[in-house]
Each structure stands twice: as structure tokens, then as C-alpha cells.
Amino acid sequence: MIQLIINGQPQRFPISNQTPPLKSGQNNATLNITQLLEHMALQGKRIAIERNGEIVPRSKYDQQVLTNGDRLEIVVAVGGG
Amino acid sequence: MDNLVIAGKAYSSRLLVGTGKYKDFAETRAAVDASGAEIITVAIRRTNLGQNPDEPNLLDVLPPSQYTLLPNTAGCYTVDDAVRTLRLARELLDGHSLVKLEVLGDPKTLYPNMVETIKAAEILIKDGFQVMVYTSDDPIIARQLEEIGCIAIMPLASLIGSGMGILNPWNLQIIIDNASVPVLVDAGVGTASDAAIAMELGCDGVLMNTAIAAAQNPVLMASAMKKAVEAGREAYLAGRMAKKLYSASPSSPVSGTIASSDKKA
């Protein structure tokens, strides 16, 4: 499991075991942002994400591997004046 | 054509509307359409975790392909929050850089903190944003905002959501007279005559939300505001007559009446 702070709330997510463990014995199972969004049923939604204060471009979701304690903001557009 | 030009793009409507406080998205859309507005403000908020994934999204109701969306920083009280919010907005809207900046200073009045607003504007402009800025109606602050590169100056007419109307037309007049970027009244309009007054002063446009959303019939008020902004603009362009106290001037010929005042020779 990995713990993330999403929109100010601590959340735990299972990490993927699709890739085999490294020879060193370290667990290289990871969770990237695309996988996180699938867990949250947010894939394909009109959202934007900030990770630890930096914008994550949509094109980089696959490459951004999350680490324990990452702080994410996931936002949408809402009505406002 | 008498267009409003914002960041090099021409708009035929001088009314900009917000999308908050409507009872549902259908009413939001109907009011926006009745207003004729082409530039629509939206807020950026954390998504509800665990929400119904099929919940409708504002951007499906008001697609960026049909409207110029103007993300705002409503609710931001610090430079950092405002800048981060608009960077998220730019990512959300695929690189769209036209934004409305407001940095508030007080939760009761929602009065803008102009020291923080100027700091945030400088960072955003450096970062490539085109900043339309909510400001107090201080002509010197307005001038500074223009000098640092804001592309539109948006002074309050009265407090956000108050509907108190145009409380200091003289300050607005000074700001309008001195600005070389568009000046839009943002906040305070309560009814159609307020919007017309703002436009008659020479404002380039009016931005409003609550005056429409909190009307008894929002869609009808949106239509009224459209007409008021157009009427006020035409009156401004036409140039009003001079006010003449104690100098009554009849509209009809003075001579040739059938009055019994004819003097016998």
C-alpha cells in the first residue's frame, strides 16, 4: 500500500504488482498517476493535477511514479463568478 | 463593429458572466445563453473524492470550444494560492492563458488585497498568463496594474455579491479616463440600470454573477442585462446631452401655438 495526501486527505492505495520484482529483491511495484486515476474512477475526466506543488501535465501521467507521502491536488472547474 | 478586444481577440458582447450560484447546470446554461456573454468565468476547486463518477461536469455544459472560459481565483487569500490555482486552471483548459486574478483580503467584505494582488499579477505575467485583474477602485493601483502588464483592469462598483450598484462613479471615471487597456466593472451590479450606468461611464464591459443568479428569474434578468449593457454602450458612444440646471429648453417650437395670449393690436 502507498499513502498519499489527496486534496488534503490521507488516502491509501494498493500498488501494482504487474512488473516482476527486481533481482536485488527490492519491490519495484509502483503506482503512477494514470493508475491512481483508475483507482479513483477519474480517468478521462476533465481534471488537473498538482503534485507536491508542481503541475503534472496530462501527457506525463504515465511517467509520474508516486511515492509515499506525495501531496496531490486534483481539481475541476465549477461554477463561480 | 464595436467589439470588445481582450488579449487581441474581438468579442461582440461586452457582458461577461459568472457561473456560480445557479440551482443547476441547466439554469446556468440558460442564463449564460440569454445573457449573450462570450466570456464566462469559472472557479477551480478540489474534486470531491468518492463522488459519483458520472456526475455532470461544468465543462460539458459550457464547452471551452463554444465559450471563452475565464478561470478565476475566487476564494484565494494568498499569492501562492492564487498562482497555483491558475496554473492548475491552465493545465485543465489545455494551456489557455487568459485568467481572472483576484486575491481577497477579508472574508466578510471580500475586498481585494491589492498588495498581494500586484505580487501575484507580476508572477503570473512573467509566467505567460494574460491577466484580467479584480481591483479596488483606486486609480493609482489601477495604473500600476496596467504598468506591470495586466491586460484588463476590473474595478469593483461595490462589494462582490452585494448588488449595491455603482457607488463611486467618479473613481471609475478616473480609472477609465487614464487606462489604455479595457476597464470592466466587476462586482456590485444589482440590476439592469447599474450595468447601463457602468457602460455610460465608458467602461469597456461589465462582469457579473450574483445580479443574474440571485434574481427571482435569472434567465429573464440575464436578458435584461444583455440589453442594459448594449443600451449603456450605445448611450456612451452617442454622447449624452449636457446637463442644464435652470435652463429648461422646450422640445417643441416656441412660436405658432394657438394660445389665447395673442395680443390685440
Side-chain angles (χ1 to χ4, degrees):
Chain A
M1 298 291 277
I2 184 171
Q3 177 163 304
L4 307 168
I5 314 291
I6 301 181
N7 293 349
Q9 296 175 32
Q11 303 260 319
R12 294 174 75 81
F13 293 92
I15 48 178
S16 159
N17 280 309
Q18 286 166 1
T19 48
L22 295 175
K23 282 178 188 161
S24 64
Q26 283 180 305
N27 186 352
N28 70 337
T30 58
L31 182 73
N32 65 34
I33 290 184
T34 301
Q35 293 164 331
L36 173 70
L37 295 180
E38 283 169 23
H39 280 298
M40 300 181 74
L42 286 173
Q43 69 274 38
K45 300 286 174 194
R46 291 173 185 270
I47 56 170
I49 300 181
E50 181 194 72
R51 178 188 180 200
N52 300 328
E54 299 290 331
I55 299 296
V56 183
R58 215 163 301 157
S59 58
K60 299 259 171 68
Y61 286 176
D62 282 342
Q63 298 152 40
Q64 290 264 335
V65 175
L66 296 163
T67 52
N68 211 44
D70 274 352
R71 303 187 74 90
L72 299 174
E73 294 288 343
I74 305 179
V75 302
V76 292
V78 301
Chain B
M1 277 298 287
D2 174 43
N3 286 327
L4 169 66
V5 178
I6 300 282
K9 187 171 172 191
Y11 299 91
S12 58
S13 172
R14 291 176 179 274
L15 173 58
L16 287 66
V17 298
T19 52
K21 302 181 182 172
Y22 289 99
K23 73 172 198 277
D24 53 33
F25 282 157
E27 188 182 66
T28 310
R29 176 67 194 247
V32 166
D33 286 348
S35 77
E38 296 159 282
I39 303 177
I40 315 290
T41 65
V42 300
I44 304 298
R45 289 291 178 272
R46 286 171 161 174
T47 187
N48 286 325
L49 301 178
Q51 71 181 4
N52 170 11
D54 297 323
E55 196 172 296
N57 184 304
L58 182 65
L59 298 186
D60 296 329
V61 181
L62 297 168
S65 54
Q66 283 180 45
Y67 304 92
T68 295
L69 296 185
L70 186 65
N72 70 26
T73 57
C76 291
Y77 286 81
T78 66
V79 172
D80 190 49
D81 285 353
V83 169
R84 285 170 61 202
T85 295
L86 292 178
R87 285 181 176 150
L88 280 162
R90 183 167 59 180
E91 169 63 19
L92 182 65
L93 299 173
D94 303 316
H96 171 90
S97 62
L98 183 68
V99 296
K100 171 182 161 180
L101 171 66
E102 59 182 274
V103 183
L104 302 176
D106 173 51
K108 190 170 178 189
T109 60
L110 301 179
Y111 210 81
N113 180 332
M114 295 318 303
V115 174
E116 300 296 297
T117 300
I118 289 174
K119 287 184 203 160
E122 284 173 330
I123 294 169
L124 290 164
I125 291 162
K126 214 174 184 179
D127 198 12
F129 284 92
Q130 293 168 308
V131 177
M132 302 176 74
V133 62
Y134 177 58
T135 177
S136 60
D137 61 358
D138 179 326
I140 307 305
I141 293 284
R143 189 178 69 198
Q144 288 178 326
L145 290 166
E146 182 179 341
E147 283 168 358
I148 65 171
C150 292
I151 59 136
I153 307 299
M154 305 204 290
L156 52 79
S158 48
L159 298 182
I160 292 173
S162 70
M164 293 286 285
I166 314 291
L167 295 189
N168 194 339
W170 308 107
N171 272 31
L172 293 177
Q173 191 71 70
I174 296 169
I175 293 171
I176 292 163
D177 288 348
N178 290 308
S180 52
V181 295
V183 175
L184 295 88
V185 154
D186 178 2
V189 165
T191 189
S193 52
D194 298 333
I197 289 168
M199 295 307 294
E200 287 170 9
L201 287 171
C203 278
D204 295 281
V206 179
L207 198 169
M208 65 180 74
N209 189 152
T210 310
I212 296 173
Q216 303 304 305
N217 182 336
V219 178
L220 191 56
M221 185 59 88
S223 166
M225 291 300 186
K226 177 180 199 268
K227 292 167 183 159
V229 168
E230 288 171 357
R233 177 66 181 176
E234 288 187 4
Y236 168 74
L237 292 175
R240 63 153 296 146
M241 63 165 285
K243 290 181 182 175
K244 289 178 290 186
L245 190 61
Y246 301 132
S247 178
S249 162
S251 301
S252 305
V254 199
S255 61
T257 62
I258 60 163
S260 56
S261 59
D262 290 346
K263 296 278 186 300
K264 294 265 164 52

